[in-house]
Amino acid sequence: GKKMTARGVRVESDADNNIIVNLYLIIRYGCAVGEVAKKVQQLVYTALTDMTGFSIVAVNVHVGGICFN
């Protein structure tokens, strides 16, 4: 079959140092996609806010596929 790949992480910022993060994930089969995406979103937001002090305006989670391994 077709091999699915996620594109990783993309970070954008504007002139005011507002940060938008796009995460591209492959989720393991059997996991609750919505729960995993929400948890990743919360953890990344908290970590980036705590570590950088920048204004994180969005952490977008994109599920690029399901892994059956």
Side-chain angles (χ1 to χ4, degrees), residues 19-47:
I19 306 293
I20 299 171
V21 180
N22 288 288
L23 304 171
Y24 299 88
L25 307 178
I26 295 176
I27 305 290
R28 179 166 295 180
Y29 178 77
C31 293
V33 174
E35 290 177 22
V36 171
K38 186 172 185 172
K39 187 70 172 177
V40 167
Q41 185 180 47
Q42 292 170 341
L43 290 172
V44 169
Y45 176 84
T46 301

Side-chain angles (χ1 to χ4, degrees), residues 5-26:
T5 59
R7 291 177 278 180
V9 178
R10 290 192 180 167
V11 179
E12 303 169 18
S13 65
D14 61 18
D16 297 325
N17 285 331
N18 294 313
I19 306 293
I20 299 171
V21 180
N22 288 288
L23 304 171
Y24 299 88
L25 307 178
I26 295 176

